[in-house]
Amino acid sequence: DAKTTQPPSMDCAEGRAANLPCNHSTISGNEYVYWYRQIHSQGPQYIIHGLKNNETNEMASLIITEDRKSSTLILPHATLRDTAVYYCIVRVNQRNSGYALNFGKGTSLLVTP
Amino acid sequence: DTEVTQTPKHLVMGMTNKKSLKCEQHMGHRAMYWYKQKAKKPPELMFVYSYEKLSINESVPSRFSPECPNSSLLNLHLHALQPEDSALYLCASSQDRLGGGSPLHFGNGTRLTVT
């Protein structure tokens, strides 16, 4: 799986958009980009994933550059409850071997009042 | 609340004890996972089961013994652990299919303390 690089920490004011970047310059054509977050003392929570196209769901938007070497997770209106560690992970699908995720260090997002 | 249930939530055990961690999901997922997470570190993969068969063992010491009795259940048997094995143990599940991606769904973990 391709390695990812994320800033170790970011701040965001409540109500503003939080834009979390991720570099994955060695990504292969069959690798998906996944975003998870982990709020203190809880298990990681799936946010969104994509392959080539931009994606949006009720939680966030995922913008993937055309060359797929980087992506941005957008939380459109951050709240205090969005304070968490955000993990960007790239993963290839491997049939009959599960789809294990290898977590990097992530970005610690602090949403302030 | 999550769709992956882990019990117990907290466990304290001595180095000579034998205990088991349990994980259950009813989403019809056929892949299940154990992760270990030390404080302020990212989760680390331990084991992967696919269709009730062990498919990945990330060189985990034999004092950790996984078991998948059926497609809904995953156990982690613990024996002769060391204090450095104290951590949050996370279980996850996913569909096991090609194409379209297959997100993992995590439980909230068992916080294990080895004394």
Side-chain angles (χ1 to χ4, degrees):
Chain A
D1 293 339
K3 185 178 178 179
T4 62
T5 303
Q6 299 177 253
S9 64
M10 293 182 63
D11 292 345
C12 178
E14 188 177 20
R16 304 296 293 269
N19 297 287
L20 292 89
C22 180
N23 287 322
H24 31 78
S25 58
T26 60
I27 193 169
S28 301
N30 62 346
E31 287 182 314
Y32 286 78
V33 179
Y34 286 80
W35 283 85
Y36 280 74
R37 73 180 183 184
Q38 188 172 22
I39 297 169
H40 182 62
S41 296
Q42 296 183 18
Q45 178 189 23
Y46 166 75
I47 301 173
I48 199 167
H49 75 283
L51 183 61
K52 296 180 182 178
N53 300 322
N54 298 336
E55 302 288 344
T56 295
N57 63 21
E58 64 278 4
M59 290 183 67
S61 295
L62 173 61
I63 308 298
I64 303 174
T65 58
E66 192 169 345
D67 63 8
R68 303 209 325 124
K69 292 184 177 182
S70 66
S71 61
T72 301
L73 178 74
I74 301 173
L75 308 177
H77 306 287
T79 71
L80 299 180
R81 287 180 294 180
D82 292 322
T83 292
V85 178
Y86 287 77
Y87 296 101
C88 168
I89 305 163
V90 294
R91 187 190 75 181
V92 66
N93 287 346
Q94 292 178 297
R95 188 172 192 177
N96 296 328
S97 294
Y99 299 93
L101 297 170
N102 292 308
F103 288 80
K105 296 180 180 179
T107 295
S108 180
L109 175 68
L110 176 63
V111 180
T112 56
Chain B
D1 289 346
T2 71
E3 296 167 305
V4 176
T5 304
Q6 292 189 243
T7 55
K9 288 184 168 51
H10 301 273
L11 178 63
V12 179
M13 62 183 291
M15 290 188 284
T16 58
N17 291 158
K18 288 184 180 180
K19 297 286 184 182
S20 296
L21 310 184
K22 298 186 183 300
C23 174
E24 188 169 4
Q25 58 87 14
H26 294 288
M27 295 178 281
H29 291 169
R30 303 309 298 269
M32 297 188 76
Y33 312 76
W34 280 114
Y35 283 81
K36 174 182 178 179
Q37 186 174 26
K38 301 283 281 184
K40 300 188 184 300
K41 297 290 187 181
E44 296 178 358
L45 181 67
M46 300 175 72
F47 303 104
V48 179
Y49 273 83
S50 177
Y51 289 86
E52 295 118 67
K53 292 183 180 179
L54 183 65
S55 60
I56 296 177
N57 177 341
E58 292 287 355
S59 302
V60 179
S62 60
R63 58 186 184 267
F64 296 92
S65 176
E67 177 195 22
C68 190
N70 59 57
S71 60
S72 299
L73 295 174
L74 185 67
N75 299 321
L76 186 63
H77 303 297
L78 313 173
H79 174 55
L81 294 193
Q82 303 297 312
E84 58 264 30
D85 296 321
S86 298
L88 180 68
Y89 288 84
L90 294 160
C91 173
S93 70
S94 73
Q95 295 178 13
D96 189 5
R97 58 178 175 84
L98 277 175
S102 185
L104 271 65
H105 297 257
F106 284 84
N108 282 328
T110 293
R111 188 160 299 280
L112 174 68
T113 303
V114 182
T115 61

